[in-house]
Amino acid sequence: MEFQVLGNVAASHRGSPVELGRRQERCLLGLLLLEPGRVVPTERLIELLWQNAEAAERRATLHTYVARLRRRLAPYGIRIITRNAGYLLDVDPASVDLHRFTTEVERTSTIADPAARASALAAALELWQGPLLAGVADEELRQRLGRGLEESRFAAFERRVEAELAAGEHLRVVGLLAELVREFPTREHGIELFMLALTRAGRRTEALEAYRAARRALVEEFGVEPGKDLQRLHQRVLADDPGLALPAPTGGDLASGIPRRLPRDVPGFVGRGAALAALTALATGDGGTSVCTIGGIAGIGKTALAVHWAHQVAVRYPGGQLFVDLRGYGPGSPTAPIDALGQLLRSLNVAPERIPHDADEASALYRSVLADRKVLILLDNAASSDQVRPLLPASTHCLTIVTSRNRLDGLVAHDGAYSLPLGLMSDDEAYELVATMFGTSRADAAGRAQILGLVARCGNLPLALRIAAARIVVEDRLTVGDLMLELADARARLSGLVVEGDAAVRSAFAVSYRALSTSTARVFRLLGLVADTALPATAVAALLGWPESRSRQAIADLTHRHLLDDGGTGRYKMHDLLRLYGVERAEQEDSEQERRVAVGRLADAYVQQASAAQAVYDRFRVSIPMRIEHPLPQEPTFDSLDAASAWFQLEGGNLVALVRISDGLGLLRETWQLAESQYSFLLRTHALTTLRETHELGVGAARRDGRPDGERLMANGLGVAYSMTRDFDEAIRWMERAAQISVELGSRRDEVISRLNIGSAYGQKGDRDESEKHIRLAATGARQLDDAFVLCVCLSNLGWLYTEQGRASEALTLLEEALEIAIAHDIRQQIAPLEVHLAHQNADLGRYETAIRHARAAVALRHLDDHLSTARGLYWLGVGLDGLGATDEAVGCWQESHALMTRIGTREVEYPAAALARSGHQPTW
């Protein structure tokens, strides 16, 4: 287990964060971690946690905190021991970043090579993630506990700079020292190092100005002149003392035989805490393996992570650090194992004439050279497991990190490698990355909300974020708002994510695309056409027009290359920017007809499945025959309401996305048929915004398609959607249009349904006379048609209208008749609303036991996904219970009703809210 006190107090186990509780509990843990293995007296802990509080008052609270920490740490074998009127945290000091920092700094005094010493000190300083006990201790407590530690940190930093200067890295440290001098303008040793670095960088004038600024600060703040050492250095700079030049090389790594081949660390690296912790667990031996693969799509930051982490832990590998680019993706062929072995062996100071020409012999020599060394090997951009395997040391002392755009499953299966898939940055990480590149002033000016908007445009992909931020930094007149507008057009977004030609998201994706076979590349292109979908393999097969077995092979290839992701769910989707690249390739390589046919196949597959599910989900809805150009090999069926409901819950997002996609491609028939096939599901789940969007697209498509029957369905759906969002004038307009089309088509049942809907809208609008007229006309028509379903709804709505008018006995008669019809004909979708109406009516009459019975019956049908009826039932159940004096139970019902109504977005949420207020409670959701 690893602990952190340098920054936020935190703990992790095998790379996963451990929950540590509230702020004061974490502060207590931090105090114990400062002195691991030693008893900290109770009085001192109380005094530090609460300063001047009476110990007697706080002792019980301290005991409670200790007990909670014990429970949280016990599963990981960590004990807090009560001993000698105090507490002892039984952990290895090496597991605490502070004590590891102290140990590693002390150890650097034995490292002769200045470059190695600088690397070790830099790794130790990386442990500081912020001020001591950040987030749990106030400034006064941090000053008391951490003053000496901060001095140790500055001293280590200055020792690192001294080592860098000795190794000739004066250019690198100038920027670091400039920040130090700005923050501490009177710290003389830091100023000396800054002047020396500037002088060696050929910036003598700036070195002299640094001295003058330091002298002014010392005189103004303390009234003293600079010390003798700083004055002496000033004189040497004035005199152009040749002794200030870079010292002659002493042999360094060549003399010691220690290779240090890591690329330069990534400037401004942020985030990836979990991945860094997982890698560190491997380095400390907690991972149980000596090989790790880091996989992910192009631009996800695999190499940046590996290189940054390698610099952090370089000190753990005294045998050196090796790096080889295996060129698995890019121009030309991947690096052959024999060529990579040659690079590695030469880095290990093996004479070229000793390196065998045979790959097996060279691999054996490589393993022999590394047998007694502890070396970190970074193999970047690997193409396959076979390319990597000859480059793996036999020694478990070495650690090999492999990055690849492919999933190197062979290394996991046969070589015991740990697989570390790298995902997209979180919003917080992405914001920090952009803000770091911007600098404080520019980030503050842009604001967090606007930067997160840019993050969304970039799909949280690190490469895209760095390019976008770089453009704003470099192009003085370009603001975040300007770039967001530029990237708002999805079709031009990839063109906006480019700097200096080669540094482009499109270029990175192109490398991966060129490696695909012809058939797999076609799959990639067509999947790019279906935005916002997560398709199962059967749907991918429909899109392609292939047998499922063949499509699964292509899916496997794309997921292997991280160009497609299923998140372990078996439903496949692309990253947004990858998808845009796929669309670009499709528009260049596939004809418009080919693209339309592919999406049409997928739309037809979903229409067939959704229509079959809707026929079970809403047995009494009469649709019209769907015209299908690409029938599925087997007609879909659903054997239960639960199965149909589950299908809609799973595929609802794809259905909505396909309406938009089909409309965008001008697929008229597919657009309105997709909208119609999900009407009942959207209505029952109260997804009214989506219902309106899909049917607005559908009504235009049906009209252009010359299908008045389809237009009637869409107009009716729009009327219902507007009615349920209380835009009654618009609802009536669309319902009248549906009625008109029904008359023109001679469809009496559809005319009756439209008349019923019109009456309901008038009733909700408050025009009760007009409402009763239309509903009675509809009821008469339903009796003439002997249509039990429509009659049931008519009686239900008329009963609701009478309830609103205070005609209680008439309302009850109608509602009870409607419920009898619904039960007799198994009209399930009407039973719950009718039970709610009867609960409402009986509660108003003070018949609380009857109201409770009906309300419980409504809530018991919640599995039918009629969320609004469930929420209403819970409200009236609460009213009934409260009427019988069971107020506590009633409050629970109102809380649940309020939460559900809030989630579905109905204005009726004001009723449970008012009931809770009357009972002296507030909503808990």
Side-chain angles (χ1 to χ4, degrees):
M1 195 167 184
E2 300 270 335
F3 293 95
Q4 176 182 305
V5 295
L6 302 177
N8 292 322
V9 175
S12 63
H13 182 256
R14 301 198 174 205
S16 299
V18 174
E19 174 59 43
L20 297 176
R22 302 171 184 172
R23 185 185 69 83
Q24 282 288 76
E25 292 162 17
R26 286 182 280 121
C27 188
L28 170 61
L29 177 61
L31 295 174
L32 295 174
L33 287 168
L34 296 181
E35 302 183 57
R38 295 178 58 186
V39 175
V40 184
T42 299
E43 286 72 14
R44 174 166 170 74
L45 290 171
I46 291 173
E47 191 268 334
L48 291 172
L49 285 168
W50 293 285
Q51 296 183 14
N52 298 321
E54 289 291 333
E57 297 175 4
R58 295 298 187 178
R59 194 177 301 275
T61 305
L62 178 63
H63 292 335
T64 300
Y65 290 170
V66 170
R68 289 174 180 167
L69 284 173
R70 280 173 171 156
R71 286 196 299 271
R72 293 182 186 278
L73 298 176
Y76 307 99
I78 304 300
R79 299 184 304 155
I80 301 178
I81 301 168
T82 304
R83 183 180 297 168
N84 299 333
Y87 294 101
L88 177 150
L89 183 63
D90 186 16
V91 296
D92 181 358
S95 67
V96 184
D97 56 358
L98 168 61
H99 304 294
R100 200 158 60 248
F101 166 77
T102 303
T103 300
E104 291 183 6
V105 168
E106 290 174 353
R107 188 162 54 232
T108 61
S109 62
T110 65
I111 302 176
D113 174 44
R117 187 166 65 254
S119 177
L121 285 163
L125 287 162
E126 285 283 352
L127 294 170
W128 283 80
Q129 299 296 309
L132 181 72
L133 306 182
V136 298
D138 59 25
E139 186 62 28
E140 181 181 347
L141 181 56
R142 279 200 297 272
Q143 286 293 327
R144 288 179 60 186
L145 297 173
R147 189 178 296 111
L149 294 174
E150 285 290 341
E151 181 57 36
S152 297
R153 178 187 184 186
F154 287 129
F157 177 80
E158 289 172 348
R159 286 182 56 194
R160 173 200 170 180
V161 170
E162 290 170 349
E164 297 265 25
L165 288 170
E169 297 290 349
H170 44 273
L171 295 174
R172 180 191 299 175
V173 301
V174 164
L176 296 174
L177 286 166
E179 293 181 14
L180 177 70
V181 170
R182 274 195 298 272
E183 188 173 358
F184 301 98
T186 61
R187 191 175 179 90
E188 294 194 34
H189 188 49
I191 296 161
E192 288 179 50
L193 294 171
F194 187 39
M195 291 175 63
L196 181 58
L198 288 169
T199 301
R200 288 184 178 172
R203 297 159 64 178
R204 176 172 171 270
T205 303
E206 292 175 62
L208 294 171
E209 176 53 37
Y211 174 80
R212 287 191 291 270
R215 182 178 179 276
R216 282 195 302 272
L218 287 164
V219 171
E220 290 172 3
E221 187 167 345
F222 302 110
V224 299
E225 291 289 333
K228 291 182 179 180
D229 290 341
L230 187 55
Q231 291 187 39
R232 189 178 300 112
L233 177 60
H234 177 231
Q235 292 300 320
R236 294 178 68 191
V237 174
L238 283 172
D240 277 335
D241 185 345
L244 296 178
L246 183 66
T250 60
D253 289 348
L254 292 177
S256 64
I258 300 173
R260 311 217 180 259
R261 299 303 179 95
L262 293 177
R264 179 171 175 263
D265 196 1
V266 180
F269 185 94
V270 299
R272 302 299 195 192
L276 290 168
L279 290 168
T280 300
L282 293 176
T284 56
D286 292 342
T289 181
S290 57
V291 183
C292 175
T293 64
I294 303 176
I297 66 172
I300 202 72
K302 302 178 293 294
T303 301
L305 170 69
V307 170
H308 177 71
W309 177 80
H311 278 282
Q312 285 187 313
V313 300
V315 68
R316 296 177 185 265
Y317 295 91
Q321 304 87 43
L322 303 175
F323 176 88
V324 174
D325 183 355
L326 295 178
R327 305 186 186 281
Y329 283 81
S333 302
T335 302
I338 184 62
D339 295 329
L341 286 164
Q343 293 182 47
L344 291 165
L345 287 166
R346 287 192 295 274
S347 297
L348 291 165
N349 293 324
V350 176
E353 60 271 16
R354 287 188 55 214
I355 300 175
H357 296 291
D358 178 78
D360 290 340
E361 292 180 9
S363 181
L365 176 59
Y366 172 68
R367 293 192 297 273
S368 177
V369 171
L370 291 177
D372 298 319
R373 300 190 187 190
K374 189 174 184 181
V375 175
L376 177 64
I377 301 110
L378 178 50
L379 305 176
D380 190 39
N381 201 17
S384 66
S385 298
D386 288 340
Q387 183 191 27
V388 170
R389 195 166 285 116
L391 314 180
L392 299 180
S395 170
T396 57
H397 300 302
C398 297
L399 178 60
T400 305
I401 307 297
V402 187
T403 73
S404 179
R405 298 188 187 187
N406 292 344
R407 266 182 15 198
L408 303 180
D409 296 342
L411 292 182
V412 176
H414 301 296
D415 300 278
Y418 174 83
S419 176
L420 180 61
L422 200 58
L424 298 170
M425 281 188 151
S426 69
D427 283 350
D428 286 343
E429 289 177 323
Y431 170 81
E432 187 181 357
L433 172 59
V434 174
T436 299
M437 292 185 66
F438 278 4
T440 303
S441 58
R442 185 182 271 114
D444 289 346
R448 181 179 177 85
Q450 196 169 46
I451 289 177
L452 286 178
L454 181 62
V455 165
R457 290 275 196 272
C458 296
N460 293 61
L461 186 71
L463 175 61
L465 292 167
R466 286 188 173 275
I467 289 173
R471 283 196 57 193
I472 292 171
V473 170
V474 172
E475 301 174 33
D476 290 338
R477 297 186 178 181
L478 185 67
T479 67
V480 175
D482 294 336
L483 185 54
M484 284 182 64
L485 285 174
E486 182 181 332
L487 301 180
D489 181 1
R491 300 179 64 82
R493 190 168 302 165
L494 293 178
S495 297
L497 294 173
V498 56
V499 289
E500 294 185 2
D502 290 335
V505 173
R506 182 186 285 114
S507 300
F509 291 163
V511 172
S512 294
Y513 178 73
R514 286 194 294 266
L516 300 176
S517 67
T518 301
S519 60
T520 304
R522 176 174 179 266
V523 179
F524 175 80
R525 296 194 301 271
L526 294 184
L527 282 170
L529 298 175
V530 287
D532 302 320
T533 59
L535 302 178
T538 52
V540 177
L543 175 72
L544 302 172
W546 289 356
E548 188 177 337
S549 58
R550 184 183 176 192
S551 69
R552 284 190 180 277
Q553 293 174 359
I555 288 170
D557 191 14
L558 290 172
T559 54
H560 174 78
R561 299 172 185 273
H562 293 285
L563 295 174
L564 198 61
D565 182 42
D566 72 341
T569 65
R571 305 179 70 77
Y572 301 93
K573 64 184 300 183
M574 280 183 179
H575 183 270
D576 287 348
L577 296 181
L578 264 177
R579 186 190 62 76
L580 293 176
Y581 181 74
V583 171
E584 286 187 357
R585 300 315 312 162
E587 290 177 347
Q588 293 184 34
E589 300 181 39
D590 302 309
S591 68
E592 181 181 357
Q593 180 63 16
E594 287 173 322
R595 301 195 302 273
R596 287 167 55 89
V597 167
V599 174
R601 280 193 300 262
L602 182 62
D604 277 352
Y606 270 95
V607 167
Q608 292 169 79
Q609 294 174 88
S611 297
Q614 185 161 251
V616 178
Y617 195 78
D618 188 349
R619 294 184 298 114
F620 294 90
R621 175 172 173 76
V622 178
S623 183
I624 58 178
M626 298 286 129
R627 184 164 62 86
I628 304 297
E629 291 187 2
H630 308 96
L632 291 169
Q634 186 173 352
E635 185 175 344
T637 58
F638 295 87
D639 57 8
S640 70
L641 180 63
D642 287 344
S645 178
W647 186 88
F648 272 121
Q649 292 286 358
L650 200 60
E651 297 287 358
N654 289 338
L655 282 165
V656 174
L658 283 169
V659 173
R660 300 175 184 134
I661 294 164
S662 298
D663 181 70
L665 289 173
L667 298 172
L668 305 178
R669 171 183 62 83
E670 291 85 347
T671 299
W672 70 262
Q673 289 190 165
L674 282 162
E676 157 59 16
S677 65
Q678 59 187 306
Y679 168 81
S680 295
F681 171 71
L682 296 175
L683 181 62
R684 186 86 63 84
T685 55
H686 214 70
L688 301 178
T689 300
T690 303
L691 177 63
R692 208 168 90 177
E693 179 197 355
T694 56
H695 281 60
E696 281 175 347
L697 295 176
V699 73
R703 189 178 297 131
R704 295 193 302 276
D705 194 31
R707 289 292 300 269
D709 52 350
E711 184 182 352
R712 174 185 58 76
L713 287 171
M714 297 297 99
N716 179 72
L718 275 173
V720 172
Y722 278 111
S723 179
M724 294 188 73
T725 53
R726 307 185 71 80
D727 187 347
F728 299 117
D729 290 338
E730 192 69 8
I732 292 167
R733 183 175 75 83
W734 281 110
M735 290 169 179
E736 289 285 10
R737 174 59 182 155
Q740 177 189 351
I741 296 174
S742 299
V743 171
E744 292 170 357
L745 293 175
S747 175
R748 176 64 173 149
R749 185 178 190 271
D750 294 321
E751 181 189 352
V752 167
I753 291 173
S754 295
R755 196 59 54 203
L756 167 62
N757 289 337
I758 292 168
S760 298
Y762 273 118
Q764 291 176 291
K765 184 181 178 182
D767 190 340
R768 292 169 181 167
D769 291 340
E770 194 71 13
S771 174
E772 184 174 358
K773 180 184 76 174
H774 285 282
I775 296 176
R776 283 197 173 279
L777 284 172
T780 300
R783 292 188 190 278
Q784 292 170 350
L785 293 170
D786 194 23
D787 192 312
F789 173 74
V790 178
L791 178 60
C792 177
V793 178
C794 288
L795 295 174
S796 173
N797 288 9
L798 200 56
W800 172 83
L801 180 64
Y802 285 176
T803 298
E804 292 292 302
Q805 292 174 327
R807 297 157 66 178
S809 59
E810 293 175 88
L812 276 174
T813 300
L814 290 168
L815 293 172
E816 286 167 353
E817 181 186 357
L819 183 59
E820 288 176 7
I821 293 172
I823 293 173
H825 293 271
D826 194 24
I827 308 174
R828 297 184 188 180
Q829 64 267 44
Q830 285 301 308
I831 295 176
L834 284 165
E835 297 282 14
V836 170
H837 286 177
L838 284 164
H840 178 178
Q841 190 62 60
N842 280 284
D844 284 352
L845 294 172
R847 301 172 183 174
Y848 295 122
E849 291 183 352
T850 305
I852 289 170
R853 175 168 55 82
H854 285 295
R856 288 194 190 282
V859 174
L861 295 171
R862 67 192 313 159
H863 63 282
L864 299 179
D865 294 328
D866 185 350
H867 302 317
L868 185 58
S869 291
T870 300
R872 288 169 170 170
L874 286 164
Y875 169 72
W876 288 110
L877 178 56
V879 172
L881 290 166
D882 187 49
L884 295 179
T887 303
D888 288 345
E889 190 176 352
V891 167
C893 294
W894 291 329
Q895 293 282 16
E896 191 175 355
S897 173
H898 185 278
L900 187 52
M901 287 187 178
T902 299
R903 181 162 66 83
I904 62 180
T906 173
R907 294 183 183 180
E908 293 180 35
V909 72
E910 66 192 44
Y911 297 115
L916 286 167
R918 286 194 301 272
S919 63
H921 292 78
Q922 293 293 325
T924 56
W925 287 274

